[in-house]
Amino acid sequence: MKVKVKFKEKEFSVNVEKRGDNGVPILMLHGIPTNARLWRHVQKALENDYVTYAMDMIGYGQSDMPLDDFNHSLVNQAEIVKEVITGLGIKGKVILVAHDHGGGVAQILASKYAEYITRLVLIDPVCFDQWPVCEVEGLAALDGADEQTLQAAMGQAVANFPALLRMGSYDGSPFTDKNCKQNYLQFWGRGPGLTGFKSLIRVSADPKQSDTDVDYSNIKCPTLVVWAENDNFMSKDGANMLKNAIRGPVRVQYIPQAGHWVQEDKPNEVSFYIKDFITEWESLNI
């Protein structure tokens, strides 16, 4: 489905993948360089018990890819997520589940708009000084390059993309060539021209996070922090740093034999811990 949102007098179309018809609503955010389809296995595992929405953030997947009239900062993305929550009619009811760059967005939203969500789940999120990683910096360096340079770079990026996804996996096995192309790579080939690739560069170059973007003392809802033990991109130290910083109750859960793309490596474990966390708090008025 498409959700129309307004931000600074401009209207954007946000793609949202919905599964399930009953239960508590869950909104899922992805990170760089993925999209809503990262959550497809987790959504399937939860669809009998919850209504799940996985959204493509602005600049990703099947959502709008503005190149010149939107700054893809974590703060701005949080504003878009807020508007999506409103558009879906789930304000004050939704559990926000977020990964990677989306985890940074979720932290900002939870600290600025606590009344919009009831629970928070952060899965291998960017936090503190763990952003940006060198792979993202490499793409960001292409921002503003001429068309000829971008055309050549795109060919190299396409060739290297499966290897990047496999590097973020425990053993690489989920990322077959078919999976990489159908669920991830195809969206960075969106036209016209090099629009998709330029958007990938822009979402890598724009996001900046300062120490003032997140006031952890304002995050008071129950929070689950999930970390893959074999994450090659984000240090596990972030889990305890978040636990110590967030004002509300925080539970930390590690998943063994899983890489950064834990939703692909261990989707059943991810869905189990989300469900267990929701069940743990569902009878309490917090």
Side-chain angles (χ1 to χ4, degrees), residues 1-3 5 12-18 27-31 33-40 43 53-66 70 72 77 80-81 84 88 101-102 105 183-184 186-188 190 199 203:
M1 72 173 75
K2 300 294 185 181
V3 179
V5 302
F12 298 104
S13 176
V14 177
N15 181 62
V16 178
E17 305 289 336
K18 178 186 176 184
L27 179 62
M28 300 174 171
L29 309 181
H30 62 87
T34 61
N35 57 70
R37 292 191 180 181
L38 177 69
W39 297 102
R40 66 196 187 283
Q43 284 188 281
Y53 303 91
M55 64 173 277
D56 290 324
M57 289 192 290
I58 294 295
Y60 296 84
Q62 300 176 76
S63 289
D64 281 352
M65 291 182 167
F70 182 81
H72 302 75
Q77 292 282 11
I80 296 293
V81 174
V84 169
L88 291 172
H101 164 223
V105 173
N183 294 305
Y184 302 105
Q186 67 159 310
F187 301 111
W188 299 123
R190 279 177 56 184
S199 185
V203 300

Side-chain angles (χ1 to χ4, degrees), residues 32-33 135 139 160-169 175 233 261:
I32 293 177
E135 291 80 8
L139 285 167
N160 292 337
F161 195 79
L164 173 66
L165 293 179
R166 290 166 188 150
M167 183 174 69
S169 169
F175 291 104
F233 299 137
W261 319 119

Side-chain angles (χ1 to χ4, degrees), residues 51-120:
V51 183
T52 65
Y53 303 91
M55 64 173 277
D56 290 324
M57 289 192 290
I58 294 295
Y60 296 84
Q62 300 176 76
S63 289
D64 281 352
M65 291 182 167
L67 299 178
D68 300 315
D69 56 356
F70 182 81
N71 184 291
H72 302 75
S73 67
L74 303 184
V75 171
N76 285 354
Q77 292 282 11
E79 295 293 332
I80 296 293
V81 174
K82 177 175 75 74
E83 295 305 310
V84 169
I85 289 173
T86 300
L88 291 172
I90 54 177
K91 177 183 175 181
K93 307 172 187 175
V94 66
I95 296 167
L96 188 60
V97 179
H99 177 253
D100 186 84
H101 164 223
V105 173
Q107 291 164 57
I108 293 170
L109 187 141
S111 68
K112 291 180 66 177
Y113 305 107
E115 71 276 15
Y116 274 72
I117 66 173
T118 62
R119 309 282 184 267
L120 179 63

Side-chain angles (χ1 to χ4, degrees), residues 257-271:
Q257 297 184 336
H260 185 67
W261 319 119
V262 63
Q263 300 93 327
E264 291 271 14
D265 282 343
K266 294 291 183 73
N268 290 335
E269 284 83 347
V270 172
S271 58

Side-chain angles (χ1 to χ4, degrees), residues 74-281:
L74 303 184
V75 171
N76 285 354
Q77 292 282 11
E79 295 293 332
I80 296 293
V81 174
K82 177 175 75 74
E83 295 305 310
V84 169
I85 289 173
T86 300
L88 291 172
I90 54 177
K91 177 183 175 181
K93 307 172 187 175
V94 66
I95 296 167
L96 188 60
V97 179
H99 177 253
D100 186 84
H101 164 223
V105 173
Q107 291 164 57
I108 293 170
L109 187 141
S111 68
K112 291 180 66 177
Y113 305 107
E115 71 276 15
Y116 274 72
I117 66 173
T118 62
R119 309 282 184 267
L120 179 63
V121 179
L122 301 172
I123 302 177
D124 295 79
V126 302
C127 56
F128 305 105
D129 61 349
Q130 295 198 43
W131 178 259
V133 297
C134 61
E135 291 80 8
V136 171
E137 290 180 320
L139 285 167
L142 292 168
D143 194 32
D146 60 67
E147 293 289 315
Q148 185 176 359
T149 299
L150 292 177
Q151 189 68 58
M154 182 175 179
Q156 190 63 44
V158 168
N160 292 337
F161 195 79
L164 173 66
L165 293 179
R166 290 166 188 150
M167 183 174 69
S169 169
Y170 176 67
D171 61 8
S173 60
F175 291 104
T176 63
D177 286 346
K178 181 178 180 181
N179 180 14
C180 292
K181 291 176 182 177
Q182 287 188 349
N183 294 305
Y184 302 105
L185 190 57
Q186 67 159 310
F187 301 111
W188 299 123
R190 279 177 56 184
L194 299 175
T195 296
F197 186 57
K198 288 179 179 178
S199 185
L200 172 60
I201 293 169
R202 188 56 53 83
V203 300
S204 299
D206 280 350
K208 301 292 187 294
Q209 183 171 358
S210 69
D211 293 338
T212 60
D213 287 342
V214 182
D215 183 351
Y216 289 100
S217 67
N218 285 338
I219 304 179
K220 300 176 183 179
C221 65
T223 300
L224 171 64
V225 178
V226 177
W227 222 281
E229 289 192 349
N230 302 96
D231 191 327
N232 290 328
F233 299 137
M234 302 291 173
S235 169
K236 290 189 294 183
D237 293 343
N240 282 327
M241 292 172 68
L242 285 168
K243 183 175 182 179
N244 292 331
I246 291 173
R247 176 74 173 274
V250 180
R251 169 180 166 185
V252 174
Q253 180 65 55
Y254 297 100
I255 298 183
Q257 297 184 336
H260 185 67
W261 319 119
V262 63
Q263 300 93 327
E264 291 271 14
D265 282 343
K266 294 291 183 73
N268 290 335
E269 284 83 347
V270 172
S271 58
F272 170 82
Y273 288 120
I274 291 173
K275 187 173 181 179
D276 187 58
F277 172 68
I278 295 172
T279 303
E280 179 181 3
W281 290 95

